[in-house]
């Protein structure tokens, strides 16, 4: 413990010498034994916060956390900046920063793809409604385009269904 002490040194029970000694301990800046790495991930794979491990070399440390959100060019594209500050008993600090870059590069997927069908002249085309899913966006922009080609015995109908997520990834 820091302070001033009186030390008595005796040599072979013959003579002794008394001396005053002041002990000053220095406390190093905190360090970390482990810390999270910067990552780039898909919007549905954002990692949970994992606190870094401070090295308790000079006693206990207090670990404070902050997370900042920086929007990107669409709703499912952004950067999380996670910052931890370790403060030791001497008031010295060390900081660890993790940058989580989040992107949406996956296009929507149709769960019930249509199949080509042939109907006899005068037959009715059965209804079809595509069911779409996306890894991040739950409200897709849906479009349907149809066309007709006249044939000697009837016609041919064409349907194109599309879905687009909020980051511009599109599937048809």
């Amino acid at each position: 413990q820091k302070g001033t002490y009186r030390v008595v040194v005796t040599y072979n029970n013959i003579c002794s010498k008394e001396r005053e000694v002041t002990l000053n301990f220095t406390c190093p800046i905190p360090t970390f034994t482990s810390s999270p790495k910067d990552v780039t991930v898909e919007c549905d794979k954002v990692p949970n916060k994992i606190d870094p491990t401070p090295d308790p070399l000079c006693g206990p440390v207090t670990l404070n956390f902050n997370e900042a959100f920086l929007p990107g060019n669409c709703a499912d594209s952004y950067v999380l900046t996670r910052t931890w500050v370790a403060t030791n008993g001497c008031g010295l600090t060390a900081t660890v920063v993790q940058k989580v870059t989040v992107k949406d590069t996956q296009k929507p997927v149709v769960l019930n793809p249509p199949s080509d069908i042939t109907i006899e002249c005068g037959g009715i085309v059965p209804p079809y409604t595509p069911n779409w899913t996306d890894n991040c966006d739950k409200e897709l922009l849906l479009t349907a385009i149809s066309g007709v080609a006249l044939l000697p015995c009837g016609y041919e109908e064409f349907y194109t269904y599309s879905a687009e997520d909020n980051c511009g990834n599109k599937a048809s």
Side-chain angles (χ1 to χ4, degrees):
Q1 180 171 333
K2 183 177 179 179
T4 302
Y5 299 88
R6 185 153 301 283
V7 178
V8 177
V9 177
T10 304
Y11 181 71
N12 288 336
N13 292 324
I14 299 174
C15 66
S16 64
K17 178 123 179 151
E18 191 173 310
R19 184 168 192 198
E20 192 171 282
V21 177
T22 301
L23 300 176
N24 290 313
F25 293 97
T26 59
C27 194
I29 293 173
T31 58
F32 293 91
T33 58
S34 70
S35 59
K37 306 295 180 213
D38 292 347
V39 292
T40 299
V41 296
E42 277 293 319
C43 48
D44 59 337
K45 304 286 188 216
V46 178
N48 292 328
K49 171 184 78 92
I50 298 175
D51 290 335
T53 305
D55 187 348
L57 179 64
C58 196
V61 297
T62 302
L63 194 60
N64 291 310
F65 173 75
N66 182 54
E67 183 173 80
F69 177 88
L70 178 65
N73 58 356
C74 63
D76 291 316
S77 176
Y78 54 90
V79 175
L80 296 175
T81 302
R82 296 172 172 171
T83 305
W84 292 265
V85 178
T87 306
N88 65 16
C90 299
L92 300 173
T93 62
T95 302
V96 168
V97 176
Q98 178 193 33
K99 186 167 104 175
V100 180
T101 303
V102 180
K103 297 182 176 193
D104 182 4
T105 62
Q106 295 183 15
K107 60 186 177 181
V109 174
V110 66
L111 298 174
N112 59 335
S115 55
D116 292 339
I117 58 172
T118 301
I119 299 173
E120 294 297 323
C121 287
I124 297 176
V125 177
Y128 169 74
T129 302
N131 292 321
W132 296 91
T133 187
D134 188 67
N135 62 327
C136 299
D137 189 357
K138 302 306 172 210
E139 295 186 25
L140 300 169
L141 174 63
L142 304 176
T143 57
I145 300 172
S146 62
V148 175
L150 296 176
L151 303 172
C153 178
Y155 58 93
E156 203 171 59
E157 292 185 38
F158 301 92
Y159 297 91
T160 302
Y161 301 94
S162 299
E164 184 175 352
D165 68 19
N166 59 22
C167 285
N169 300 307
K170 189 174 183 179
S172 296

